[in-house]
Amino acid sequence: MSVYSEGVFQRGFGTFPLRGNELSVAVRNAIDIGYRAFDTAQWYGNENDLGAVLAEAGVPRDDLLITTKVHPENMSAERFLPSVEQSLRDLGLFAVDVLLLHWPPGDGPVEPSLELLQEACRLGYARHIGVSNYTTRMMRRALQVLDVPLVVNQVEFHPLLNQDKLLATSAETGIPLSSYCSIARGEIFKYPVLADIGERHGKSAAQVTLRWILQKGVTMNTMSTRRENMRANFDIMDFALTDEDMRQIDGLTVANYRISNADVVPFAPTWD
Ligand SMILES: NC(=O)c1ccc[n+]([C@@H]2O[C@H](COP(=O)([O-])OP(=O)(O)OC[C@H]3O[C@@H](n4cnc5c(N)ncnc54)[C@H](OP(=O)(O)O)[C@@H]3O)[C@@H](O)[C@H]2O)c1
């Protein structure tokens, strides 16, 4: 059971690459629509913008689930805790709800950064801790290293990428998954079967994709600057895909497809 599984937190609002006024407008719209889980990162350079708009919006603190991530370059013993303290100042929070390691150190050892993450939790800087972009091998290793449970591995997850091994490892380790690039940054629209399935349910291809993610047992993050898209992405709890729908969507996997690969992110590990 993940903190993200609790009601509205299943549907998170991502903030990359929003900043400044664009972020404020988007987050205000998202709050108005009903989003209460917000995802940011040191890397996005927008923690202060997010903190400001959330403070001004006046949503009770306990109704929000705020996730941030430690930048890969802040994972040394000298930089880790000061960087988290800076995140808290920027966000205007005493503690973040979930603190993630944004990327593993390539194929290097995961133990040092996991121990620093756990230390941040023990110091009260985070209510929960998690990781992002961890491979199956790293998920198993984390279980051996940590005393505090990981509440999430946030990973690229959409129908074009087969994540069956990660799903199996999530079940085995009890580390829940959460999605990013949930509509593959629009690439899913090239597959008419999603719109065909949607037509039967009175929903769009994006809504079908997001529903598929939830029915896989994965919580989701989406980002949009458009109110109608934000609303559509949120409005996915009133229908269910059939087993046949799920099977057809499973069949959309594209060999070697991955948005967050080593060409884009120097910290990417060898995916297993
Ligand atoms: N942990 C990590 O390493 C990592 C990596 C990447 C992202 N993330 C997080 O995950 C969040 C979501 O991922 P993402 O933004 O990269 O990818 P995404 O959600 O797959 O795609 C976002 C794009 O899709 C469009 N869109 C959204 N909803 C739509 C809809 N219903 N119909 C048509 N177009 C739609 C948006 O454009 P419009 O603005 O025009 O709607 C936006 O350009 C990020 O904001 C970030 O918080 C984490």
Side-chain angles (χ1 to χ4, degrees):
M1 180 75 172
S2 158
V3 281
Y4 295 96
S5 307
E6 292 165 18
V8 79
F9 296 153
Q10 279 187 334
R11 292 161 286 165
F13 189 79
T15 61
F16 176 78
L18 307 174
R19 285 187 186 178
N21 190 50
E22 194 177 33
L23 179 138
S24 305
V25 171
V27 170
R28 264 188 235 117
N29 272 318
I31 290 171
D32 190 40
I33 286 165
Y35 290 91
R36 291 293 179 270
F38 291 91
D39 181 79
T40 180
Q42 294 174 351
W43 207 339
Y44 303 166
N46 64 12
E47 289 171 308
N48 54 347
D49 295 324
L50 180 63
V53 68
L54 290 178
E56 162 205 301
V59 178
R61 176 69 186 92
D62 288 349
D63 292 354
L64 294 169
L65 189 80
I66 302 168
T67 299
T68 195
K69 317 183 193 81
V70 179
H71 192 290
E73 287 171 0
N74 288 335
M75 290 193 198
S76 64
E78 298 71 39
R79 294 176 74 152
F80 196 98
L81 292 174
S83 84
V84 177
E85 287 160 5
Q86 185 62 47
S87 289
L88 294 178
R89 277 195 294 277
D90 286 343
L91 284 162
L93 299 174
F94 292 113
V96 74
D97 296 301
V98 194
L99 182 68
L100 309 187
L101 301 177
H102 204 150
W103 282 90
D107 291 327
V110 291
E111 293 80 357
S113 47
L114 284 171
E115 278 156 14
L116 291 163
L117 181 69
Q118 182 161 264
E119 178 64 10
C121 188
R122 289 207 171 115
L123 287 170
Y125 293 169
R127 286 176 51 228
H128 304 281
I129 55 171
V131 292
S132 182
N133 299 298
Y134 259 36
T135 64
T136 62
R137 179 181 62 79
M138 292 167 177
M139 286 167 82
R140 289 195 193 94
R141 184 70 194 127
L143 213 56
Q144 295 166 340
V145 173
L146 295 171
D147 303 319
V148 178
L150 291 177
V151 299
V152 76
N153 181 13
Q154 186 187 109
V155 293
E156 181 173 339
F157 199 100
H158 51 71
L160 309 186
L161 173 63
N162 185 322
Q163 292 285 38
D164 285 352
K165 283 186 192 157
L166 270 187
L167 282 168
T169 309
S170 168
E172 173 198 321
T173 57
I175 302 171
L177 301 183
S178 183
S179 72
Y180 73 74
C181 290
S182 310
I183 60 164
R185 299 209 170 134
E187 284 296 300
I188 56 131
F189 296 117
K190 293 183 179 163
Y191 299 84
V193 66
L194 295 168
D196 294 345
I197 294 171
E199 207 166 305
R200 290 201 291 280
H201 295 280
K203 295 286 175 181
S204 68
Q207 290 173 309
V208 164
T209 301
L210 299 174
R211 185 71 208 180
W212 172 85
I213 293 174
L214 292 189
Q215 286 186 217
K216 287 273 178 191
V218 175
T219 59
M220 66 178 217
N221 291 288
T222 57
M223 189 291 291
S224 176
T225 54
R226 292 169 207 264
R227 196 175 160 96
E228 65 272 24
N229 287 349
M230 288 178 202
R231 190 179 287 288
N233 297 346
F234 196 73
D235 185 18
I236 57 166
M237 304 311 281
D238 59 351
F239 77 113
L241 298 170
T242 65
D243 290 347
E244 175 56 19
D245 295 335
M246 292 295 286
R247 200 191 56 73
Q248 280 190 43
I249 303 168
D250 287 345
L252 294 180
T253 300
V254 176
N256 302 318
Y257 186 95
R258 193 183 282 272
I259 295 168
S260 279
N261 59 27
D263 302 339
V264 184
V265 187
F267 310 96
T270 306
W271 305 106
D272 57 16

